[in-house]
Structure formats: C-alpha cells, structure tokens
Amino acid sequence: MPPTRPVDPPRRPVYLNLPAIRMPIPSIVSILHRVSGALLFLLGIPWALAALDASLASPAAFASYAAVAGHPVAKLIAIGLVWAYVHHLLAGVRHLALDLHAGLELAAARRTSAAVFVLAILITLAVAVRIW
Amino acid sequence: MVTRTQRHVVGAHYGLRDWIAQRITAVVMILYTLVALFALAWQGGFDHAGWKALWAHGAFRLATFLFAIALLWHAWVGVRNITMDYIKPVGVRLVVQGAVICALVFYTGWTIQVLWGVRA
Ligand code: HEM
C-alpha cells in the first residue's frame, strides 16, 4: 500500500478535444513513435518470426510462405511494418539524442522531427518499390 | 525554487532502471540493425542465396539472439508504459500485462527454435 497523501491533488479540467489540439510536427513524430512501437509488438514480431522461420526452413515451407506473402494485402502489411520499424528506429535515435540534451532548441527539434518523418517515408517507399 | 511537499514516495526507482534499460536495449537494436544490413550487403546481395549464407554463420545467429533478448526487454518496458497510460482498471491492466509477458516469452522460445532448428 502506498502511503496516502495528506491532501488530494487539485482536480484539473480535462480538455481532450483531439482535432482542436494543435499538432506540431515534433508531437506527430512522438505519437507515431508510440503507434509504431505498439504495431511492432502486435504484428511486427510474429510476422518477422514467421517470415524468418519460413525463409530458413525447407524449400516447401518457403514456397508456401512466399505464396501468402505475395498477396497484395500481405505486401501492404509488410510495407506498413517496414515503415513502423524505420520510423521507430529513427525517432528512437532522435529520442536518445534529446536524452543527451542534443537538439533541444525549438528550431532544431522541429527540423530533426521533420527529418525523421520524411526519411522514414522515403526509406519505406524505396523498400516498397522493391517488394512490389 | 519550487519544493514539492506532497511527493508520493513509491517503489525503489524501478522507473529509472526501466528507463535506462530501454535506452541500452535501443542502442543494441540500432547496432544490430546496422550490422545485419552491412552483413547482408557484404554476403553478396539481398537474394535467397545471400540470405541463407548469412544465417549459416553461428556468430550472426548469436547476434540475432542478443537482439531478440534486447527486444524482449525493450518491448516489455515500452508496452507496459503504454498500458499504464491507457488502461486504468488495475485488474484489466494486470491481465493485459500478463498476456504481454506470455507473448514475449513465447516469441523468445520461437526465436530459439528458428535460430537453432529445434524442430519436432
Ligand atoms: C530498432 C531500434 C529501436 C530503437 C532505437 C528504439 C528506441 C526507443 C526509445 C528511445 C524509446 C523510449 C521512448 C520514450 O521514453 O518515450 C522506445 C519506446 C518504445 N519502443 Fe522502441 N526502439 C526500437 C525498437 C523497438 C521494437 C522492435 C519494438 C517492438 C516491440 C519497440 C517497442 C517500443 C514501445 C512499445 C515503446 C514505448 C513507446 C511509448 O511509451 O510511447 N521498439 N523505443
């Protein structure tokens, strides 16, 4: 049991009208970092393991995996997961830099977050072209 | 200076330990990603033969296992943070967190099977 507080914290108004909250690019990149992390856990890990398993097992297992993975829907999911990994990794590098107090000024923070956002999409597009 | 007199003292700095663990595991995963990309390019291309040749190296499988352990730990800290933010009823949160741990342990076992071929 945690010790009870002597005074209740003040009740503050909660204002969560999402469309009305201004979303500068650093906050978008930050939210996408969380979204991509959740996606990687929910879909990315099982997908990566299944793909690795099939690609290293017998040629028959690989063929049956390739048939499933060749479906356009599967390709779209794979491309989505590639984006999740690349965005999460780049945003993670930026996060680590911020933890070391590098790039904390507003102008720099905006620039690096825009770079993360754009670079992740460009790399994903390059991979998507290859997959497709 | 602001002194907070109503500080809620809990735990034993688990938060800080998790925070550091998440950063160390992040660095491990960044390094592994770079090594894997270079190794694959070095190995002679991104085709199936190059792929197979890469995984034939015991050192690469070991590095992958290290990555998997870092990932397991990192994902646990990260997903637990997310559950703490969005799932308020303690019972529900504990059940979800238990399911997450089970999934991660299952994935780690699966990783070992894939890497060292302990297939039935
Ligand atoms: C590839 C290299 C990776 C790097 C560099 C990285 C980096 C980071 C960093 C620095 C954080 C802390 C963010 C914070 O404190 O707000 C974080 C959070 C997180 N990571 Fe990763 N990560 C990587 C891979 C992964 C993978 C593969 C997963 C899949 C499960 C994952 C899942 C998460 C989750 C769920 C969070 C919590 C997000 C949040 O609290 O908003 N990460 N990551």
Side-chain angles (χ1 to χ4, degrees):
Chain A
M1 265 290 278
T4 44
R5 299 171 184 226
V7 186
D8 277 341
R11 294 209 172 275
R12 299 196 175 83
V14 176
Y15 181 71
L16 270 183
N17 181 0
L18 285 179
I21 295 177
R22 234 170 52 84
M23 281 280 180
I25 183 76
S27 81
I28 293 176
V29 165
S30 164
I31 287 177
L32 290 180
H33 188 239
R34 171 163 283 195
V35 171
S36 57
L39 266 180
L40 288 171
F41 169 70
L42 292 173
L43 286 178
I45 299 178
W47 176 76
L49 276 168
L52 186 61
D53 200 357
S55 75
L56 297 180
S58 63
F62 183 72
S64 67
Y65 166 77
V68 177
H71 193 277
V73 174
K75 284 186 182 177
L76 279 181
I77 295 175
I79 291 168
L81 290 173
V82 168
W83 169 81
Y85 192 78
V86 175
H87 181 94
H88 193 91
L89 189 149
L90 293 178
V93 171
R94 175 174 179 271
H95 203 105
L96 295 177
L98 294 175
D99 287 340
L100 298 173
H101 300 277
L104 281 181
E105 311 76 28
L106 186 55
R110 289 212 174 114
R111 249 184 290 118
T112 54
S113 59
V116 164
F117 186 81
V118 173
L119 207 59
I121 291 177
L122 288 182
I123 294 176
T124 306
L125 280 179
V127 175
V129 169
R130 282 191 76 112
I131 294 183
W132 219 272
Chain B
M1 210 180 111
V2 182
T3 39
R4 294 181 58 198
T5 48
Q6 297 174 28
R7 225 166 84 109
H8 198 181
V9 182
V10 286
H13 303 290
Y14 298 128
L16 181 63
R17 198 193 59 188
D18 286 344
W19 187 90
I20 290 173
Q22 201 172 34
R23 268 113 195 110
I24 294 174
T25 55
V27 171
V28 170
M29 289 189 289
I30 292 170
L31 293 178
Y32 173 82
T33 304
L34 293 176
V35 168
L37 286 177
F38 276 111
L40 201 53
W42 194 257
Q43 216 19 264
F46 292 81
D47 58 0
H48 196 235
W51 185 245
K52 281 277 212 185
L54 177 64
W55 291 96
H57 289 289
F60 189 70
R61 293 207 295 269
L62 204 58
T64 303
F65 186 62
L66 186 66
F67 169 83
I69 298 298
L71 174 52
L72 167 83
W73 195 350
H74 181 96
W76 164 241
V77 175
V79 174
R80 200 198 55 169
N81 282 346
I82 295 180
T83 63
M84 289 194 297
D85 279 355
Y86 301 132
I87 307 179
K88 294 306 175 188
V90 175
V92 182
R93 187 197 285 170
L94 283 178
V95 170
V96 172
Q97 290 177 347
V100 170
I101 293 179
C102 289
L104 288 170
V105 171
F106 171 78
Y107 291 146
T108 306
W110 189 1
T111 305
I112 295 173
Q113 280 196 348
V114 171
L115 289 178
W116 286 285
V118 195
R119 292 197 181 83

